[in-house]
Amino acid sequence: MEPVIELKGVVAVLGSFPALAGIDLTVQRGEILLLQGPNGAGKTSLLRVCAGLLPIERGEGRVLGIDVTSQRELIRARVGLLGHSNGLYLDLTVEQNIMFWAATVGASDAEVASAMKRMNVDGRLAKVKASQLSAGQRRRTALASLIVRRAEIWLLDEPHAGLDASGRDELDGLLRDAVAAGATVVLASHESERANGLATRVVTVDGGGAR
Amino acid sequence: MTNTSLRRRITFAVARKDLRIEWNSRVLVNQVAPFAAIVMVLFAFALDNDGILQRVAPGLVWLATLFSMLVVIQRSFSVESADGALDALRVAGVDPTAIFLGKSIALMVQLFALEALLVGTAFVLYNITMSPAGLVEAFVTMLTATAGLACVGTLYGGLAAGVRGRETLLPLLLLPVVAPVLIGATRAMEAAFGSGGAQVSEGWPWIGLLTVFAVLFIALGSVAFGPLVDE
């Protein structure tokens, strides 16, 4: 097993609020790691540190072997963070949204077609505007964008939010497929029961620390 | 792939995406262009005198352009924030300079089309005539003024995008900054139209000013857009 995220004694603050208080975390390639904990525990901040968005005040860490202190821009290009919104252009079709992300990294048409097929947004759905999609279809389109961006680590904040039961089942299946294809998934979720069934390991975040 | 070619590729991807959004939604064609044309008609009603209209036509064209531009810029950034797309670009580490340049190019194309419509409307409603040399000067004026307006608009649109009350904040921030473009473009267009006996040659120094403004804001926006959007 190869660690893709290694954090040691990481302290991060949001304004004057201490978001992470000396957290240690190691994530191995191919894991589906669930971060659980109450609101304000630091789950989202931890995801943002892993995405190279939130700078750390103390401690050390590497994501995909890249230092989280000095090379955050390089990390951003190789991980995908999906928060509460999907980052879609609502006036573009599913295909146009994914093609746009493909163009930003130089992904081929074949990669776009493969990602759309994997996330089940190909066929007739490809020509539908994002504004006309259901919550689950938008989520799948956003995940297809992560695939064409060649994100090696998927950081998902409350990925089940807004999905109905069948949408949640479908999402779980898609995440398992993504891991089988080589991705690593870290998800923060309130819905511990559902996410527990999906995760290969669970870490509880509370008071800015992990256990 | 070198940084320059990567930046170029992302720039054109962003520009193509914004123009595709306009093509799909037709907001410019169905809403902004009619709004601009109505403004021109209202000016004609308010200044119901052919002599006055012919003299002030260049200023009216650019005023209508500025008012319409506010709507286009708001639209350009509302599509980015509707589902967190600009955040997603930032999170993905997409080069902010390329985003700035791409959005500026798309805005430039849309504004240029709008200005062509407004100049055409001025010909019809205000009884304007132009020599071939004036036509060339008007075209160059539109190009340089539009480049400046698009870059300033993108920069300030990005700044206001994440702020509450951005609809009212944007005009307050933007209109004072684009005053030099309004003055320069109006004077250059007066020379092109021959308003008040102005000669075509009198317009070129003003086009020089517009060019300086455009170059300044292309450079400033390329540097400042990333930090401003991050904030």
Side-chain angles (χ1 to χ4, degrees):
Chain A
M1 294 281 268
E2 170 202 353
V4 288
I5 298 175
E6 294 173 281
L7 303 179
K8 285 181 190 160
V10 165
V11 174
V13 294
L14 287 171
S16 57
F17 176 75
L20 298 176
I23 204 163
D24 296 325
L25 180 73
T26 302
V27 182
Q28 307 290 340
R29 186 175 294 279
E31 273 195 293
I32 301 180
L33 178 74
L34 166 65
L35 302 175
Q36 63 178 17
N39 281 339
K43 302 186 297 294
T44 300
S45 297
L46 183 53
L47 290 179
R48 291 172 67 82
V49 165
C50 294
L53 284 174
L54 183 61
I56 65 173
E57 297 289 314
R58 282 204 304 276
E60 57 186 71
R62 302 185 84 76
V63 174
L64 295 164
I66 304 166
D67 184 31
V68 297
T69 313
S70 58
Q71 294 176 296
R72 291 189 292 133
E73 288 297 323
L74 294 179
I75 295 173
R76 289 187 193 186
R78 292 179 59 188
V79 306
L81 173 65
L82 200 53
H84 299 131
S85 53
N86 293 303
L88 300 179
Y89 293 99
L90 302 181
D91 284 315
L92 292 183
T93 66
V94 167
E95 187 177 35
Q96 287 168 343
N97 267 289
I98 298 169
M99 292 285 277
F100 168 65
W101 280 105
T104 64
V105 294
S108 65
D109 288 353
E111 284 178 87
V112 171
S114 163
M116 290 174 64
K117 193 171 169 54
R118 268 177 65 191
M119 288 297 133
N120 198 18
V121 289
D122 55 345
R124 243 181 50 193
L125 205 54
K127 304 294 178 197
V128 175
K129 275 189 187 179
S131 59
Q132 294 162 351
L133 300 175
S134 69
Q137 290 166 336
R138 286 189 194 184
R139 230 13 172 191
R140 278 163 25 209
T141 306
L143 291 173
S145 301
L146 289 188
I147 294 174
V148 294
R149 275 190 48 219
R150 302 161 182 154
E152 295 168 59
I153 304 176
W154 294 15
L155 305 166
L156 310 177
D157 197 0
E158 302 290 352
H160 297 102
L163 302 183
D164 59 18
S166 67
R168 292 170 184 199
D169 288 341
E170 191 175 29
L171 176 63
D172 289 355
L174 294 172
L175 293 180
R176 287 193 185 96
D177 289 348
V179 168
T184 302
V185 175
V186 180
L187 59 133
S189 180
H190 281 107
E191 301 187 43
S192 299
E193 277 184 28
R194 162 165 289 277
N196 261 325
L198 172 68
T200 53
R201 190 159 64 94
V202 179
V203 167
T204 301
V205 181
D206 202 357
R211 60 175 189 270
Chain B
M1 180 170 284
T2 64
N3 279 346
T4 310
S5 57
L6 179 68
R7 176 168 289 171
R8 191 182 310 127
R9 193 184 62 209
I10 297 174
T11 297
F12 286 112
V14 171
R16 199 167 46 239
K17 176 263 296 174
D18 273 13
L19 292 173
R20 193 166 271 163
I21 287 173
E22 167 49 29
W23 182 260
N24 287 357
S25 62
R26 301 279 207 281
V27 169
L28 185 76
V29 174
N30 293 339
Q31 293 173 29
V32 182
F35 165 74
I38 287 169
V39 169
M40 294 293 280
V41 172
L42 290 178
F43 281 144
F45 287 152
L47 307 169
D48 187 18
N49 179 309
D50 274 356
I52 294 176
L53 277 173
Q54 281 172 6
R55 214 174 66 225
V56 299
L60 300 183
V61 165
W62 287 107
L63 273 177
T65 300
L66 290 189
F67 293 147
S68 309
M69 181 184 78
L70 293 173
V71 183
V72 179
I73 294 169
Q74 301 271 19
R75 165 76 182 156
S76 173
F77 282 92
S78 72
V79 300
E80 297 286 350
S81 55
D83 194 30
L86 189 59
D87 282 343
L89 287 172
R90 195 175 66 87
V91 167
V94 175
D95 180 9
T97 300
I99 300 173
F100 168 78
L101 293 173
K103 291 195 78 66
S104 297
I105 289 171
L107 194 55
M108 213 175 134
V109 171
Q110 294 175 70
L111 285 178
F112 194 85
L114 200 60
E115 287 159 18
L117 171 81
L118 289 172
V119 171
T121 309
F123 270 90
V124 174
L125 291 180
Y126 306 163
N127 204 18
I128 304 292
T129 53
M130 235 191 307
S131 66
L135 201 61
V136 171
E137 187 170 59
F139 181 76
V140 178
T141 302
M142 284 164 61
L143 270 186
T144 50
T146 307
L149 289 176
C151 290
V152 181
T154 304
L155 184 62
Y156 279 79
L159 174 66
V163 181
R164 207 162 35 175
R166 56 181 170 265
E167 294 81 4
T168 45
L169 183 65
L170 183 67
L172 284 176
L173 290 174
L174 191 59
L175 291 178
V177 180
V178 296
V181 178
L182 177 68
I183 296 166
T186 301
R187 295 290 170 271
M189 210 63 130
E190 278 173 358
F193 284 7
S195 305
Q199 300 298 307
V200 171
S201 60
E202 292 171 27
W204 292 105
W206 291 105
I207 291 174
L209 173 77
L210 293 173
T211 308
V212 170
F213 187 93
V215 170
L216 184 72
F217 272 93
I218 288 170
L220 185 65
S222 297
V223 175
F225 186 76
L228 283 177
V229 171
D230 268 351
E231 286 300 315

